[in-house]
Amino acid sequence: MSEKQYVTYGQSCGCGGTDEAKKITGCRFSLSVMSDRYADIILGALAKVDTGKVWKMTDKLSTVYRGRQLHVEDAVMACFVHAFRPDVHMTLEATFSKGCPGDVDADRFMAEDDVPLNAAGMADIHFPVACKIALYPMGVPDYMRHIAAVVNHAIDLGLYERSSHYCTILSGDIHALFGYFHYVNTYCGENLSHYVFEVTLSVNSPTV
Amino acid sequence: MSEKQYVTYGQSCGCGGTDEAKKITGCRFSLSVMSDRYADIILGALAKVDTGKVWKMTDKLSTVYRGRQLHVEDAVMACFVHAFRPDVHMTLEATFSKGCPGDVDADRFMAEDDVPLNAAGMADIHFPVACKIALYPMGVPDYMRHIAAVVNHAIDLGLYERSSHYCTILSGDIHALFGYFHYVNTYCGENLSHYVFEVTLSVNSPTV
């Protein structure tokens, strides 16, 4: 009789992952292209992204980049920008995260410098984006205070549209939104030991 | 000079929403249909769902159902099942949640009975689904223990494929997966004051 292999999260020391693992920023994301040409558009975009400074993996459900925060953000933005078509409805679901106690110091590029590989190629590409965000600060009782801090920064930046059930609605230019995501990931890296930041981007939706 | 209207989460009593608000299960979800016919497929599916026992709202980014747990689950599953086409790649991103301290006792149907409106019409429809899940128990230090509990139940049910970065990968028939989601929502409702349960479903992906 074979024995089931159960997971054991939460049964170890409770001190979380290693110090090195806690420095890894990751993003698991999926592009959804509402077109018969979705495969060509996604593969074409991925081919244009320079992923030289992030560890990457693609499975049936999504792609994961892991490494230093700025390079992960740079590569995810590049995927979306290069998949953008003025006439095609497309969404991006992205989960940024750092500090999971179950994480391991593997599957990451951490020794890279501070020069983003994709920023120059995107600098002149602008388009408006509808966005929703949800932040989950893990393991702390005062998590609502941190959520309020990042939402209020979106208000300061003029990106905030409204609060809605289970998320906050934003809108703005693609560069302004990714600039804000950089702020959120930085804030969370400095103030939380483990967080999950969910982002949805949508372009060219026919829904008014 | 106009004053900015900031949000104030986390600054009140800290006791969370009202008792009534804490009973509301909600799901915010988006269907992504990778086809030129996406609008027709989604609108056709929505027209087949009986939403008589859930409060509903659709905006540019997603649809929200709120009410009693079983009716919310029943209606979300019906959307996906009725949008399914054997030859079309489609995904569903769904956020189930209950107990947010910022929630209010509004926008919900709670006085309904225990009879699901859509189950009979879906009973004979079966298809295999690739799935990823992520559970976020909020405000508690031992959250990894709860995550392990629900992942291990997926192992018991034979739905577990593997753990991956930032999620757990499952696969199974659509009914088995929604049966499992019902277990997770019930477990969380009984063991946590606030949780967020993220689910992604994918059918007919060309990626092996």
Side-chain angles (χ1 to χ4, degrees):
Chain A
M1 196 172 120
S2 74
E3 200 173 323
K4 283 177 184 160
Q5 296 295 313
Y6 289 112
V7 300
T8 56
Y9 314 141
Q11 288 180 26
S12 57
C13 68
C15 53
T18 66
D19 285 350
E20 289 309 308
K22 287 191 162 193
K23 294 176 188 165
I24 304 166
T25 296
C27 185
R28 174 177 282 275
F29 67 96
S30 308
L31 280 172
S32 297
V33 179
M34 268 51 87
S35 161
D36 288 349
R37 298 179 293 137
Y38 71 95
D40 288 344
I41 289 173
I42 292 174
L43 294 174
L46 288 172
K48 285 188 185 172
V49 179
D50 190 335
T51 54
K53 294 184 180 177
V54 294
W55 177 88
K56 65 179 171 178
M57 174 193 71
T58 296
D59 59 30
K60 197 186 284 192
L61 289 149
S62 36
T63 292
V64 177
Y65 291 160
R66 279 162 59 89
R68 295 186 59 206
Q69 180 191 330
L70 84 160
H71 296 306
V72 170
E73 293 163 348
D74 174 73
V76 173
M77 180 175 169
C79 275
F80 192 68
V81 166
H82 293 307
F84 177 82
R85 300 288 183 282
D87 56 341
V88 176
H89 177 31
M90 175 177 71
T91 63
L92 172 77
E93 295 274 354
T95 303
F96 291 96
S97 186
K98 192 177 191 181
C100 179
D103 205 355
V104 287
D105 186 27
D107 303 343
R108 78 284 175 262
F109 292 179
M110 294 303 284
E112 314 304 323
D113 60 24
D114 287 340
V115 182
L117 291 173
N118 296 282
M122 302 188 284
D124 297 328
I125 304 175
H126 293 271
F127 50 84
V129 181
C131 174
K132 68 179 166 72
I133 60 163
L135 175 65
Y136 308 120
M138 300 308 298
V140 292
D142 63 342
Y143 60 100
M144 294 300 285
R145 182 173 66 81
H146 296 290
I147 296 169
V150 304
V151 170
N152 284 333
H153 191 66
I155 292 173
D156 281 336
L157 294 174
L159 298 170
Y160 177 87
E161 245 182 46
R162 67 185 189 282
S163 297
S164 189
H165 292 299
Y166 316 115
C167 73
T168 301
I169 311 282
L170 310 179
S171 63
D173 181 76
I174 184 70
H175 288 270
L177 287 169
F178 267 87
Y180 173 69
F181 303 157
H182 178 71
Y183 155 83
V184 175
N185 283 319
T186 303
Y187 172 94
C188 292
E190 290 171 354
N191 290 281
L192 298 162
S193 76
H194 177 200
Y195 73 93
V196 177
F197 178 44
E198 297 274 0
V199 167
T200 304
L201 302 180
S202 173
V203 290
N204 306 317
S205 167
T207 308
V208 181
Chain B
M1 195 174 120
S2 75
E3 201 175 321
K4 282 176 184 160
Q5 296 295 312
Y6 288 112
V7 300
T8 56
Y9 314 141
Q11 287 180 27
S12 58
C13 67
C15 53
T18 66
D19 285 350
E20 289 309 307
K22 287 191 162 193
K23 294 177 188 165
I24 305 166
T25 297
C27 184
R28 172 177 284 275
F29 67 97
S30 308
L31 280 173
S32 296
V33 179
M34 269 51 87
S35 160
D36 288 349
R37 297 179 294 138
Y38 71 94
D40 287 344
I41 290 173
I42 292 174
L43 294 175
L46 288 172
K48 285 188 186 172
V49 179
D50 189 336
T51 55
K53 294 184 180 177
V54 293
W55 178 88
K56 65 179 171 178
M57 174 193 70
T58 296
D59 59 30
K60 198 186 286 192
L61 290 149
S62 37
T63 291
V64 177
Y65 292 160
R66 280 162 59 89
R68 294 187 59 205
Q69 179 192 328
L70 84 160
H71 296 307
V72 169
E73 292 163 347
D74 174 73
V76 172
M77 179 176 170
C79 275
F80 192 68
V81 165
H82 292 308
F84 177 82
R85 300 288 182 282
D87 57 340
V88 176
H89 177 33
M90 174 176 72
T91 62
L92 172 77
E93 295 275 353
T95 303
F96 291 96
S97 186
K98 193 178 190 180
C100 178
D103 205 356
V104 287
D105 185 29
D107 303 343
R108 79 282 176 263
F109 291 180
M110 294 303 284
E112 314 305 323
D113 61 24
D114 286 341
V115 182
L117 291 173
N118 296 282
M122 302 188 284
D124 296 329
I125 304 175
H126 294 271
F127 49 86
V129 181
C131 174
K132 68 179 166 72
I133 60 163
L135 176 64
Y136 307 119
M138 301 307 299
V140 293
D142 63 341
Y143 61 100
M144 294 300 285
R145 181 172 67 80
H146 295 291
I147 296 170
V150 304
V151 170
N152 285 333
H153 191 65
I155 293 172
D156 281 337
L157 294 174
L159 298 171
Y160 177 86
E161 248 182 44
R162 68 185 188 282
S163 297
S164 188
H165 292 299
Y166 316 114
C167 72
T168 300
I169 311 282
L170 310 178
S171 64
D173 181 77
I174 184 70
H175 289 270
L177 287 169
F178 267 87
Y180 173 69
F181 303 157
H182 178 70
Y183 155 82
V184 175
N185 284 319
T186 303
Y187 172 94
C188 292
E190 290 171 354
N191 290 281
L192 298 163
S193 76
H194 178 201
Y195 73 94
V196 177
F197 178 44
E198 296 274 1
V199 167
T200 305
L201 302 180
S202 173
V203 290
N204 306 317
S205 167
T207 308
V208 181

